[in-house]
């Protein structure tokens, strides 16, 4: 049987613990999930490191939501975050930088790669909005990244199967492709079978209703952006196990 690796996108220490209980090989700890993931706090990283013993801890290094064209001050911020993550004992970091033309920003990436020496590095889904994925794959390999998190430049990895298959063939074992976005217990086996990819990234979250008895739902903490602040999504061990079992049986 193929040796698969499972990474859970964890939005909290609670989700990290559920991922470990469910059998995940590693987590990618993120804050700001509605923005696609931003750098988590010192406290979150520190606590995650304390509770994870059988599951590896990777941390996203992304100073803000939005695009992946970073200013010099933002790159310096990312370098500081990598330094902090290293001191806290993480196993890997996750980042990606693009130029204004949608190409890999080799200059910024080289700086970040130098700061990340000794850590596992994943180039994240900035890859999915680059202008030439096949050329970008070669550049990322040359930079020395360990893996690329990608949905095949589609809204979900399942929709991106055709490109994922082509990229897996092009990579030819020189870099790991990590299929992510919309991966779940219902499609993981199909994605694996049709692409040949052996690493998968998923959230396995369920909605948890707030235990608040008093609620003032007329006030939004996001100002004009209204979300349900009395409900949150958390990774559950059950869904992690279900997803792993869907491909392992």
């Amino acid at each position: 049987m193929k040796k698969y690796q499972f990474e859970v996108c964890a939005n909290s220490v609670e989700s990290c613990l559920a991922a470990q209980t469910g059998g995940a090989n590693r987590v990618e700890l993120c804050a700001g999930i509605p923005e696609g993931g931003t750098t988590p706090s010192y406290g979150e990283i520190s606590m995650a490191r304390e509770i994870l013993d059988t599951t590896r801890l990777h941390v996203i290094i992304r100073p803000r939501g939005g695009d992946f064209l970073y200013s010099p001050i933002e790159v310096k911020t990312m370098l500081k975050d990598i330094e902090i993550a290293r001191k806290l004992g993480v196993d890997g970091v996750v980042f990606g930088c693009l130029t204004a033309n949608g190409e890999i920003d080799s200059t910024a990436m080289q700086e970040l790669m130098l700061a990340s020496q000794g850590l596992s590095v994943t180039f994240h889904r900035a890859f999915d909005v680059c202008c030439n994925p096949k050329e970008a794959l070669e550049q990322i390999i040359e930079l020395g990244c360990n893996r690329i998190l990608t949905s095949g430049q589609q809204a979900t990895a399942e929709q991106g199967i055709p490109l994922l298959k082509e990229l897996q063939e092009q990579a030819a074992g020189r870099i790991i492709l990590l299929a992510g976005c919309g991966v779940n217990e219902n499609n993981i086996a199909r994605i694996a079978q049709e692409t040949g990819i052996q690493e998968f990234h998923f959230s396995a979250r369920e909605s948890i209703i707030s235990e608040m008895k008093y609620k003032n739902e007329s006030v939004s903490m996001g100002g004009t952006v209204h979300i349900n602040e009395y409900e949150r999504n958390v990774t559950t061990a059950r869904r992690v196990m279900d997803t792993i079992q869907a491909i392992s049986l």
Side-chain angles (χ1 to χ4, degrees), residues 8-21 29-30 33 44 185 202-211 230-240:
V8 169
C9 178
N11 59 355
S12 63
V13 176
E14 182 180 359
S15 288
C16 286
L17 184 57
Q20 179 168 262
T21 302
L29 180 60
C30 306
I33 294 295
E44 283 270 291
E185 55 269 50
F202 52 90
S203 63
R205 295 190 198 110
E206 295 185 46
S207 294
I208 305 296
I209 304 300
S210 170
E211 295 182 5
Y230 297 100
E231 182 178 333
R232 59 195 177 93
N233 293 320
V234 179
T235 298
T236 64
R238 180 190 64 80
R239 284 206 68 200
V240 174

Side-chain angles (χ1 to χ4, degrees), residues 27-237:
V27 299
E28 181 199 12
L29 180 60
C30 306
I33 294 295
E35 295 180 286
T38 55
T39 308
S41 72
Y42 181 104
E44 283 270 291
I45 300 171
S46 181
M47 283 299 300
R49 181 70 287 168
E50 281 188 34
I51 63 110
L52 293 177
D53 47 27
T54 60
T55 298
R56 296 188 297 279
L57 172 61
H58 289 197
V59 170
I60 194 170
I61 305 295
R62 187 174 176 226
R64 56 167 172 78
D67 63 39
F68 303 99
L69 176 63
Y70 296 116
S71 68
I73 195 71
E74 287 174 326
V75 173
K76 288 182 180 179
T77 299
M78 295 167 80
L79 291 168
K80 288 287 187 184
D81 283 333
I82 291 170
E83 180 183 343
I84 290 169
R86 181 192 295 280
K87 287 179 179 177
L88 290 172
V90 306
D91 300 297
V93 285
V94 182
F95 52 77
C97 306
L98 301 179
T99 68
N101 292 322
E103 299 171 338
I104 303 301
D105 187 339
S106 296
T107 301
M109 284 297 299
Q110 284 169 0
E111 274 193 89
L112 297 171
M113 290 299 294
L114 184 62
S116 304
Q117 285 185 342
L119 299 173
S120 180
V121 176
T122 300
F123 191 101
H124 60 38
R125 292 190 64 224
F127 181 85
D128 286 327
V129 291
C130 75
C131 63
N132 188 328
K134 294 186 176 180
E135 183 178 297
L137 176 69
E138 298 300 329
Q139 291 176 291
I140 294 168
I141 290 171
E142 188 174 346
L143 283 164
C145 294
N146 299 91
R147 66 182 55 77
I148 299 171
L149 170 61
T150 174
S151 62
Q153 295 208 320
Q154 296 298 317
T156 67
E158 189 171 18
Q159 292 174 308
I161 283 174
L163 180 58
L164 289 174
K165 181 180 179 180
E166 291 179 20
L167 293 171
Q168 177 74 351
E169 291 171 354
Q170 180 184 340
R174 295 174 297 156
I175 193 169
I176 297 165
L177 288 185
L178 173 62
C181 193
V183 175
N184 57 49
E185 55 269 50
N186 298 315
N187 60 25
I188 189 170
R190 180 191 172 207
I191 296 168
Q193 181 179 8
E194 296 190 22
T195 66
I197 288 173
Q198 297 182 39
E199 292 206 4
F200 299 92
H201 171 99
F202 52 90
S203 63
R205 295 190 198 110
E206 295 185 46
S207 294
I208 305 296
I209 304 300
S210 170
E211 295 182 5
M212 288 290 296
K213 292 182 172 56
Y214 172 77
K215 300 177 182 180
N216 182 356
E217 298 185 43
S218 64
V219 176
S220 171
M221 294 298 106
T224 57
V225 178
H226 290 276
I227 62 172
N228 186 349
E229 289 162 344
Y230 297 100
E231 182 178 333
R232 59 195 177 93
N233 293 320
V234 179
T235 298
T236 64

